[in-house]
Amino acid sequence: MLSPEAFRESYPEDELAEELPDSPIGSLRDLQYLYGKLYTLATTGGGEYAPYLTPDAAGDLVDTDDSLIVVRVDVSGEEPQLADDDIGPVQVRRYTKDLIQQVGHCKYPAARGIDHSVTHQAGRNSDPEKLARYAKERLTKWATDDVVTETADEHPDGWIIDRLAEIGDNETALETIEETLTRKLGGESATSLLTVQIKTESDGDYQWPGDIDVFREAMRQRKLSKLVTKNKAKDSSGDATDLVTGRPARTVGTSEDPQNYFLGKQLEKFPGLDIENAWRSHPISEDAAITVMNAETFVEACTYRTFGAKVYYLPYVFGRLTPETVYQLYGLLYRVVEDGGDTTPIEQAHIDQREQDLADQRFRFYVSAVMPHQMSRYDVFGETLNGRLHYPKELAFTHNRFVETVSVFNTSTEWTAPLPTNEKWGLLSGSDEQLHAVATGWYFYQTFAERDDDAADADDPRIEALVSVLSGDAISVDVLLGEYVDRIIDDQTDEDDHEGFPAFLVASQFAQLCALADADDLDLLKTTDSSKEPITYEPSYERHTMDNHFAADGGHPAEPKLESFINDTPALSPDHDDDPESVSSERRGAFLLGALVGDIGSYQEYSENRSTTLVDQYPVKSITRSRIKKVTQETVAKTLTYTRKEKKQSGIYPGTKAEHIVERLRETILDPDPDDWEIDTDDLRFYYALGVTYGMNDHPDWNQTDSDADDPAETEEEH
């Protein structure tokens, strides 16, 4: 395949412009056609027959020993005969790059049968006996194939193929081929292409199949014949307007497709399919169909697997195609192919954009995911041509900015930030790999309920979320909360890997939720439930908003910290309450209960040395509307017990333990009756879990305290 520099040199702007489609990319077929056209130009060049060749099929044979076996036939005389010159009837040589065009190989990807071209690819390490059989079949099988003989009958040079078939009837000649080939191979096995050379003039040279028009036309017709007989069709073809070029043509209905679309068994693409009339439902011309098939190398390079599905992320030029933009597109596709799958096409597009200073709006991306349903059947979902690199890139950037800078995860005070961070957790570390995580779906794998990828189905919410982000569509808040809660419950109840409450998981989920809401006004969150609408709003956290919350009279920092977090979190803020009994108020109550459970649970663990705490006693799965009031009463009672105990021991405890939480709880849960609440269970449980995480992290920042003790003047100056 030509390098981008060689491609530009081989196809100057005026020449490339003649090869490009006239109209902008408007469908997947248009995109596949462009890919196929670029691949053909980069591998086999231009011309009528170039799209029919398959140079990559035997690409690994180039420059290897004994990789090309040539049967040499002289048809210049009255009777065809094997070559009797110094080279002899059979030549064994290396298959080199300069011979790719000349041997004219066209692979037929079937377990049985011969390749479309007279040139045939043998299996790996075939023994001499098998190679001899393949060599003879160039004369006995390919030359006598029905499609080949029909082509020969209609072509002025068809007599060449007829002569080839004649010598195939000569048993002496066939024995000579086998004996000569076996001798030249020395009894060793080989991996080879097998072809012929033909001498048509007595004083002429031996010619390769790629130099003889009737061989190329026979190859073309053999390949085309397969486009109308797939899935047991007899002849699915007819005259119609080609959906790619817009021109009248003979169209085919059962052609192959790089993405397995529009096949007979794919019922969502062909509802009520009559296989013989498939060309009416999806008319694509013969040459366009072949060009589309040639898109496979680029399509597969821009494809990756995750969650048991294949995700397609195919770049294309937005708007009118110009040689310059196509050069850039080819460069991107070439680098993705050469990368060999080490990076996703999303990351490669980002690298190209950054290194070559490409405008983000220049490219769009076809996005879809394909889930195998059963043998030869596929579910296609999330399909769009409106994907943009901006969507996953902006989400990755927003997530990292959120974790690294805002007060929820950062503070310069003597008190911890509301939520914990951990460098070993990708979603809490501001990782450089965040774009990779978003692109591959790892971003959602870390926070959604775990599933067996081998048993995944098309309703997998991880795939839906991934495709939504890649295409700029919104994810349902209900789906997120449901997945989050299921994962929290699974992690909290996993007896084989039980390490206590999954605080880092909850913090990661909340960071993700906020990043989706805040990603450069992309509107990546949606809900049909007005009560959940505040969750979709971007939070108003700023960098280190806790810094100025110390009371002038030396008050406790935990109270303004809680006040600030609630007010700046739209899902919890009273500013979004329609009335005192709104769902936001109920959500706030669940969060406050969790905060108290987390706070007192931590106290029990570290001060009371208890192995089972309130956090274990009231796991997330136990929290429901019918139980929340009872849990609150018991938690407050336990809080008062520890308050009296500490006051008795020290005699100086100024008030109720965790008073800043308890007083707000009285307003939200103890006085109103939760039996009348309207909040959904997943909503209730997630914000309860968020509260537990907050409460467990609500304590002095010991690292900050130690630092301040070393240089109190510096701290005072900073604040």
Side-chain angles (χ1 to χ4, degrees):
M1 188 185 301
L2 295 176
S3 69
E5 296 74 20
F7 185 88
R8 186 183 288 261
E9 183 178 340
S10 299
Y11 301 102
E13 289 194 10
D14 56 344
E15 187 175 335
L16 180 60
E18 294 180 359
E19 298 283 351
L20 299 179
D22 298 329
S23 58
I25 302 299
S27 68
L28 174 60
R29 277 291 188 249
D30 292 342
L31 174 55
Q32 292 171 329
Y33 182 81
L34 177 60
Y35 277 18
K37 176 69 72 171
L38 294 178
Y39 174 79
T40 299
L41 292 174
T43 55
T44 58
E48 180 182 2
Y49 297 104
Y52 293 82
L53 303 181
T54 56
D56 281 349
D60 60 341
L61 300 185
V62 173
D63 290 326
T64 61
D65 291 338
D66 300 338
S67 51
L68 185 63
I69 296 172
V70 188
V71 176
R72 305 174 73 244
V73 179
D74 182 354
V75 297
S76 61
E78 292 185 4
E79 297 291 334
Q81 62 183 18
L82 296 176
D84 61 355
D85 56 13
D86 293 339
I87 297 175
V90 178
Q91 183 183 29
V92 179
R93 58 177 295 175
R94 278 178 169 248
Y95 177 50
T96 56
K97 286 186 177 180
D98 60 299
L99 291 176
I100 292 177
Q101 292 273 12
Q102 291 179 296
V103 301
H105 181 225
C106 180
K107 179 72 175 175
Y108 176 41
R112 296 180 179 274
I114 56 175
D115 287 348
H116 298 307
S117 57
V118 68
T119 302
H120 180 78
Q121 184 174 1
R124 300 202 66 81
N125 297 319
S126 296
D127 58 49
E129 182 181 0
K130 183 176 290 187
L131 291 172
R133 175 164 60 84
Y134 290 151
K136 291 183 287 185
E137 285 179 349
R138 306 306 92 222
L139 318 179
T140 62
K141 194 170 185 179
W142 185 87
T144 60
D145 176 82
D146 289 345
V147 176
V148 173
T149 56
E150 289 174 9
T151 303
D153 290 342
E154 298 176 4
H155 196 283
D157 291 332
W159 64 271
I160 299 175
I161 292 178
D162 293 339
R163 290 295 185 90
L164 202 63
E166 283 180 34
I167 200 170
D169 288 331
N170 187 324
E171 288 297 330
T172 301
L174 296 179
E175 291 174 2
T176 299
I177 292 173
E178 182 169 358
E179 183 276 326
T180 305
L181 176 56
T182 302
R183 175 170 47 83
K184 288 193 172 185
L185 287 175
E188 299 293 328
S189 297
T191 305
S192 312
L193 282 176
L194 300 102
T195 192
V196 298
Q197 271 191 319
I198 306 295
K199 181 179 179 180
T200 59
E201 301 290 339
S202 58
D203 56 351
D205 296 326
Y206 281 86
Q207 296 176 277
W208 296 98
D211 299 326
I212 302 175
D213 188 74
V214 69
F215 280 90
R216 294 184 295 172
E217 181 60 24
M219 167 202 67
R220 177 177 180 271
Q221 292 302 327
R222 284 204 79 235
K223 189 164 186 176
L224 288 176
S225 70
K226 303 300 182 182
L227 304 186
V228 299
T229 58
K230 195 175 180 65
N231 297 321
K232 300 181 180 180
K234 294 180 179 179
D235 184 3
S236 182
S237 65
D239 294 329
T241 299
D242 179 14
L243 61 82
V244 174
T245 65
R247 303 187 185 100
R250 180 176 183 260
T251 61
V252 295
T254 61
S255 62
E256 296 176 21
D257 177 280
Q259 284 154 276
N260 293 312
Y261 287 9
F262 303 104
L263 300 180
K265 293 184 179 180
Q266 193 160 14
L267 301 183
E268 73 272 23
K269 294 292 183 181
F270 270 146
L273 173 67
D274 175 355
I275 195 68
E276 297 297 339
N277 289 293
W279 63 272
R280 298 181 185 273
S281 303
H282 188 76
I284 184 169
S285 69
E286 295 171 327
D287 289 342
I290 295 297
T291 302
V292 163
M293 291 165 62
N294 286 341
E296 183 173 6
T297 296
F298 287 149
V299 167
E300 286 302 310
C302 294
T303 303
Y304 54 99
R305 293 182 180 273
T306 185
F307 305 137
K310 290 184 72 172
V311 177
Y312 294 91
Y313 194 77
L314 314 182
Y316 68 94
V317 177
F318 182 68
R320 189 173 67 87
L321 299 174
T322 67
E324 183 57 37
T325 56
V326 172
Y327 288 142
Q328 293 172 1
L329 174 63
Y330 176 77
L332 171 57
L333 294 172
Y334 176 86
R335 282 181 282 276
V336 173
V337 171
E338 290 297 302
D339 178 72
D342 290 340
T343 60
T344 63
I346 299 169
E347 295 167 279
Q348 187 61 56
H350 174 60
I351 294 170
D352 270 35
Q353 183 190 75
R354 184 179 58 205
E355 293 182 349
Q356 301 186 32
D357 194 28
L358 300 181
D360 186 52
Q361 65 270 20
R362 180 164 294 172
F363 290 113
R364 291 289 190 274
F365 295 83
Y366 167 86
V367 179
S368 74
V370 175
M371 175 71 71
H373 183 56
Q374 51 180 274
M375 186 66 69
S376 301
R377 295 181 185 270
Y378 309 88
D379 286 319
V380 182
F381 59 100
E383 191 175 20
T384 180
L385 277 166
N386 294 323
R388 293 182 61 186
L389 177 61
H390 177 67
Y391 303 140
K393 186 177 70 173
E394 188 60 33
L395 177 58
F397 170 80
T398 299
H399 188 103
N400 280 348
R401 175 181 58 79
F402 187 83
V403 172
E404 292 173 343
T405 64
V406 301
S407 61
V408 173
F409 294 102
N410 298 273
T411 182
S412 58
T413 72
E414 296 178 357
W415 208 258
T416 56
L419 298 176
T421 56
N422 188 324
E423 286 299 317
K424 294 182 179 180
W425 284 70
L427 296 182
L428 297 178
S429 64
S431 170
D432 292 337
E433 299 294 317
Q434 210 66 266
L435 180 59
H436 180 75
V438 172
T440 59
W442 176 245
Y443 187 69
F444 297 107
Y445 182 90
Q446 298 172 80
T447 58
F448 279 34
E450 293 182 318
R451 292 170 172 81
D452 181 2
D453 288 350
D454 292 335
D457 57 44
D459 295 326
D460 192 326
R462 300 173 303 175
I463 301 175
E464 293 181 4
L466 170 60
V467 173
S468 293
V469 166
L470 298 184
S471 57
D473 291 336
I475 304 170
S476 169
V477 165
D478 303 78
V479 170
L480 282 179
L481 295 181
E483 289 297 305
Y484 288 171
V485 170
D486 286 349
R487 179 64 174 269
I488 294 168
I489 291 174
D490 287 345
D491 279 22
Q492 197 174 6
T493 57
D494 187 352
E495 296 181 358
D496 295 331
D497 189 28
H498 183 63
E499 297 182 358
F501 184 81
F504 293 131
L505 168 64
V506 177
S508 298
Q509 292 172 333
F510 186 69
Q512 186 177 88
L513 186 65
C514 291
L516 288 166
D518 192 27
D520 193 32
D521 298 324
L522 296 183
D523 296 326
L524 293 179
L525 288 181
K526 67 179 179 181
T527 182
T528 57
D529 184 345
S530 60
S531 69
K532 291 191 181 71
E533 192 170 340
I535 302 177
T536 69
Y537 299 158
E538 63 184 78
S540 55
Y541 314 121
E542 296 181 1
R543 184 175 177 82
H544 302 327
T545 56
M546 301 297 127
D547 295 1
N548 299 319
H549 282 315
F550 287 108
D553 60 357
H556 203 285
E559 182 173 355
K561 169 187 167 183
L562 179 65
E563 186 76 18
S564 175
F565 181 75
I566 288 176
N567 289 339
D568 292 342
T569 305
L572 303 175
S573 174
D575 294 341
H576 294 284
D577 288 353
D578 297 327
D579 58 70
E581 298 181 358
S582 69
V583 170
S584 289
S585 175
E586 298 164 8
R587 189 180 297 122
R588 191 162 59 251
F591 169 79
L592 288 166
L593 173 58
L596 186 59
V597 169
D599 190 311
I600 302 304
S602 293
Y603 174 84
Q604 290 175 313
E605 182 176 358
Y606 294 108
S607 297
E608 298 293 313
N609 201 27
R610 295 188 58 173
S611 59
T612 300
T613 69
L614 288 179
V615 175
D616 304 306
Q617 186 177 346
Y618 303 123
V620 172
K621 69 177 180 179
S622 72
I623 302 302
T624 62
R625 291 194 300 268
S626 62
R627 290 202 65 208
I628 194 168
K629 187 169 185 175
K630 184 175 184 295
V631 173
T632 302
Q633 290 169 335
E634 293 175 355
T635 303
V636 170
K638 184 65 70 174
T639 302
L640 295 176
T641 298
Y642 289 126
T643 299
R644 288 192 294 269
K645 180 178 178 181
E646 286 202 352
K647 189 172 184 179
K648 183 177 180 179
Q649 289 175 344
S650 65
I652 60 173
Y653 198 86
T656 305
K657 190 170 182 60
E659 184 173 8
H660 61 296
I661 302 175
V662 173
E663 289 307 311
R664 297 197 68 146
L665 260 180
R666 297 183 191 278
E667 301 170 5
T668 56
I669 294 182
L670 295 185
D671 290 339
D673 190 348
D675 289 340
D676 297 328
W677 281 10
E678 298 180 0
I679 188 171
D680 289 344
T681 301
D682 287 335
D683 196 344
L684 177 79
R685 287 175 170 172
F686 176 72
Y687 282 94
Y688 168 79
L690 182 66
V692 173
T693 304
Y694 180 101
M696 293 175 66
N697 201 54
D698 193 22
H699 55 73
D701 186 343
W702 306 117
N703 293 329
Q704 184 67 40
T705 302
D706 293 342
S707 175
D708 294 346
D710 293 337
D711 192 356
E714 180 179 338
T715 302
E716 181 177 339
E717 183 178 346
E718 288 179 355
H719 298 300

